[in-house]
Amino acid sequence: MRKYVIMGVQGSGKGTQSELLCDDLGLVHISVGDIFRWHVKKHTKLGAHVRRTMNAGELVGDDLVESVVRERLDQHDWNYGFVIDGFPRNGRQAEFFMESYDIDGVIHLELPEDEVRRRVLSRRLCPNCGMDYNLIADRPKEPGRCDICGHQLITREDDTPEALEARLSDYNEKTRPVLELFRRKEYVHDIDARPPAEEVQASIRDALHLPAYKATV
Ligand SMILES: [Zn+2]
């Protein structure tokens, strides 16, 4: 069983790296953000609460995040282990989590803030078919138009410079102390998140002494 926490500022590629790690190793990717998005989309009671909170420009409370994670882990569908993303959010949760789940390692994706800004602010979305673009790495063939359906691309509401700065300062305030706590227990593997995704994945696997990535199609 392999149990990892993945941490890193927004835009550092946590989602992509988690998926690559889970793909051939049979791990389950547990993303707090994805769980909340699912609830919002399915109009559950929790989803309504999350939407209200975010519309008010606030962050979902740590206790709620914790109960969602506990509930998810209680499903025990992770026979080979998991990669968790978006949790823990504070020192208390980190202590509890380390003791209860016997975590094997913390993957810390490091990305300088100016690179975070460059990446996040270049993201575009097709509101029609949901295709993601990036004006740096993954630009559409015709500027501003979706390759798939031809619809005009938009910027996500929370990808504005103001929203990004708020998230960066929240990250520095809350996540850094958690990282320091893990670091004292020598769990943390610092990974340079600037290279292309496949290279970053190779560094992660090196650090964790895992076999090289083999795509399962
Ligand atoms: Zn489209």
Side-chain angles (χ1 to χ4, degrees), residues 126-131 133 146-151 153:
C126 173
N128 186 43
C129 72
M131 188 74 190
Y133 293 89
C146 179
D147 290 349
I148 313 281
C149 71
H151 200 283
L153 301 179

Side-chain angles (χ1 to χ4, degrees), residues 87-120:
F87 184 85
R89 299 254 297 228
N90 58 41
R92 185 184 57 74
Q93 288 177 348
E95 297 268 17
F96 151 80
F97 198 54
M98 273 192 287
E99 281 163 24
S100 323
Y101 288 99
D102 195 20
I103 297 304
D104 295 299
V106 176
I107 303 155
H108 174 223
L109 296 178
E110 288 189 298
L111 196 66
E113 288 197 2
D114 52 352
E115 178 63 15
V116 172
R117 291 190 187 93
R118 202 173 77 96
R119 286 191 186 185
V120 172

